[in-house]
Amino acid sequence: MGGKIHIIGAGLAGAEAAWQLAARGIKVSIREMRPLVMTPAHKTSKAAELVCSNSLRSDDADTSAVGLLHQEMRRAGSLVLAAADATRVPAGGALAVDREEFSQFIDQKLRGHPLIDFVSEEVTELPPPEQPAIIAAGPLASEKLINAVLAATGSCGLNFFDAIAPVVYKDSIDFTKAWYQSRYDKGDKFDYINCPLTEDEYYAFVEALLNADKMVFREFEKGSYFDGCLPVEVMAERGRDTLLFGPMKPVGLTNPHTPGQKPYAVVQLRQDNKEDTLRNMVGFQTKMKYGEQQRVFRLIPGLEKASFARFGGIHRNTFINSPLLLDDFLRLKTQPHLSFAGQITGCEGYVESAAVGWLAGYFKACEFVGRTPVLPPRTTAFGAVWSHLRDTTNPQNYQPMNVNFGLFPSIPGTITVNGKFRKLKGAERKQAYCRRAQNDIAPWLEQTKA
């Protein structure tokens, strides 16, 4: 079968897959096209560069599906979670990281491992059968590689658009209008900066969003947006009040500048680097042109003189129909020497991509030594992510998805209240899902080490 596993792509999935293989004593060759060929979103040649956000979302392992996945990956020896914990920045209950340090941590670990070979090369053809490989090229893979994948699968590619939020220099924010506070005072008050809008200011802002000059896509780029990462102007197009229930919701916040007057809407900015010199506009991913971004976002009170370290952007994500094309071990059915990992499989989110990379690395390691892998229990977050990729219920409508409790087997549990039984509700139900997963993950992880 050959002396090493080839991994195409050094994003979060590729990095995690490589680490799990090397940890099991298997030689790895990572082939990454950057910096020879750059993407519209990446800025460096380092592995695992974050481009959409610096947040890995909630770190609550008791009531959050993604927080539960964080915990499971820590227990599984994940490189990505080790990097996140080492480069963490304040973000309330969320796990946010310093982008540069996060990527640097992973890049150094991979390049410093004696079993991992790092090759700067654009892969334009799929490896032959004598070269077992994991395709972890990500949503921004080169057109030549995507065409090779599509030729091999005999499938028309599905795609959606992913958008990037702007980053503002903190010292350009006007704190006579803005203030520090986490929503409902969860976490440290300095985790978020808040910019308030009155009713008139909010609707003027929405009007400006709707009328702003936006990027026009060429015909081959057209697709559909993923609901979890909608451009802010697309949200506004769905209704003038939509943003009030999304990134601009004013609940759980009190403006100390006007304590007797609740803000009609609020824009939050989250810490983007460890030095806290940069702030990310939460939920403000956009397809507006750069000049328009500066004009429109400076309508927000507190950001009138905002200086932008990075404007928002947009790019195409491409993914395959995994339920139809892949087997249970993430191998291409028609060419089982090829496995797939990350967002190209149709998982959504940084953490989910890394989790699928972990699974692909573990599955490939077992295949390499002639052992049958043990599938993750459906009741765990790992199993929930895996089950989405294997859900053949309606494969023609397969779409990317974040980990969520809807992917877990249901819990019909009840509790006793005043001598009467009732079904678990809300947080109780989420806690029950998490407790069950935490119990079920340990024996599976022990089996993956065997």
Side-chain angles (χ1 to χ4, degrees):
M1 180 174 284
K4 64 175 66 174
I5 303 292
H6 296 264
I7 295 182
I8 301 174
L12 273 72
E16 191 66 69
W19 191 253
Q20 295 310 317
L21 284 159
R24 290 165 171 81
I26 297 171
K27 291 182 179 180
V28 178
S29 177
I30 301 177
R31 298 156 76 182
E32 167 59 50
M33 68 179 184
R34 293 178 290 121
L36 300 178
V37 179
M38 297 298 289
T39 76
H42 289 89
K43 304 298 181 185
T44 77
S45 61
K46 292 186 174 63
E49 180 183 342
L50 302 180
V51 298
C52 180
S53 171
N54 72 325
S55 175
L56 305 185
R57 313 195 320 275
S58 173
D59 201 34
D60 179 3
D62 294 322
T63 60
S64 162
V66 71
L68 176 64
L69 185 56
H70 290 173
Q71 184 194 66
E72 291 183 6
M73 292 180 69
R74 288 185 178 105
R75 294 172 68 176
S78 163
L79 174 63
V80 167
L81 263 292
D85 289 335
T87 62
R88 187 169 189 158
V89 297
L95 176 57
V97 302
D98 182 298
R99 293 173 193 270
E100 293 185 6
E101 291 188 9
F102 174 84
S103 179
Q104 181 73 12
F105 182 101
I106 292 176
D107 196 80
Q108 287 181 344
K109 288 287 186 180
L110 294 176
R111 294 181 189 274
H113 198 291
L115 295 179
I116 298 176
D117 182 30
F118 221 104
V119 180
S120 295
E121 173 187 35
E122 180 186 8
V123 176
T124 60
E125 297 180 351
L126 298 181
E130 62 271 17
Q131 292 183 3
I134 296 175
I135 312 300
L140 300 176
S142 70
E143 188 175 349
K144 291 178 180 178
L145 179 59
I146 289 298
N147 287 338
V149 170
L150 295 180
T153 60
S155 169
C156 294
L158 302 174
N159 59 75
F160 64 92
F161 287 92
D162 203 4
I164 302 171
V167 173
V168 173
Y169 287 101
K170 190 179 79 169
D171 61 9
S172 68
I173 299 172
D174 182 357
F175 281 93
T176 65
K177 299 176 181 177
W179 78 97
Y180 287 103
Q181 185 187 6
S182 290
R183 202 178 299 277
Y184 297 110
D185 295 315
K186 291 184 178 180
D188 192 287
K189 75 172 186 177
F190 295 107
D191 292 351
Y192 292 90
I193 295 171
N194 304 278
C195 297
L197 291 86
T198 64
E199 183 174 358
D200 288 344
E201 289 167 338
Y202 170 77
Y203 287 111
F205 175 73
V206 169
E207 205 59 34
L209 277 179
L210 295 175
N211 294 321
D213 195 9
K214 303 170 183 73
M215 289 189 291
V216 178
F217 301 112
R218 291 168 288 183
E219 189 62 33
F220 77 90
E221 292 178 309
K222 292 181 179 177
S224 58
Y225 297 107
F226 169 60
D227 277 346
C229 205
L230 285 175
V232 65
E233 59 274 6
V234 172
M235 285 187 268
E237 289 169 1
R238 296 185 173 185
R240 284 161 52 87
D241 293 337
T242 301
L243 294 172
L244 293 173
F245 300 93
M248 297 182 73
K249 61 186 177 185
V251 298
L253 298 166
T254 302
N255 186 352
H257 303 302
T258 56
Q261 177 185 352
K262 286 191 173 183
Y264 191 79
V266 171
V267 173
Q268 288 198 305
L269 296 99
R270 179 179 57 226
Q271 185 173 336
D272 197 72
N273 64 339
K274 186 166 289 186
E275 293 78 15
D276 196 15
T277 56
L278 303 175
R279 287 277 167 160
N280 186 298
M281 296 179 67
V282 178
F284 273 70
Q285 48 274 359
T286 180
K287 61 175 182 174
M288 287 188 290
K289 292 184 176 180
Y290 288 174
E292 289 289 79
Q293 290 184 44
Q294 180 166 282
R295 179 183 67 84
V296 173
F297 292 145
R298 282 183 172 178
L299 295 175
I300 299 169
L303 300 184
E304 294 93 340
K305 297 182 179 180
S307 179
F308 293 85
R310 185 192 70 191
F311 287 108
I314 195 163
H315 56 271
R316 186 179 69 180
N317 276 350
T318 304
F319 60 97
I320 62 173
N321 194 322
S322 292
L324 289 180
L325 299 173
L326 304 183
D327 67 11
D328 284 349
F329 304 126
L330 307 182
R331 297 175 300 193
L332 189 62
K333 293 177 182 178
T334 57
Q335 298 187 50
H337 72 290
L338 300 177
S339 299
F340 284 78
Q343 282 186 266
I344 198 169
T345 65
C347 66
E348 174 58 29
Y350 286 140
V351 184
E352 291 86 342
S353 294
V356 176
W358 192 102
L359 288 171
Y362 161 63
F363 291 159
K364 210 67 177 176
C366 290
E367 178 187 349
F368 193 82
V369 298
R371 189 168 67 240
T372 301
V374 182
L375 295 174
R378 284 284 313 279
T379 54
T380 64
F382 263 116
V385 172
W386 172 86
S387 68
H388 170 63
L389 307 185
R390 301 300 309 125
D391 186 357
T392 57
T393 306
N394 191 12
Q396 299 306 326
N397 292 321
Y398 179 65
Q399 290 292 325
M401 187 175 293
N402 294 117
V403 65
N404 64 83
F405 289 119
L407 298 176
F408 290 66
S410 62
I411 289 183
T414 59
I415 59 174
T416 304
V417 179
N418 297 327
K420 296 181 179 180
F421 287 95
R422 68 168 174 80
K423 289 185 177 180
L424 295 168
K425 298 179 181 179
E428 296 170 338
R429 194 169 183 81
K430 293 177 181 178
Q431 289 167 356
Y433 278 114
C434 291
R435 284 195 299 269
R436 182 179 65 179
Q438 290 161 5
N439 288 332
D440 292 351
I441 193 69
W444 176 68
L445 288 177
E446 281 302 313
Q447 290 177 296
T448 65
K449 298 174 184 177

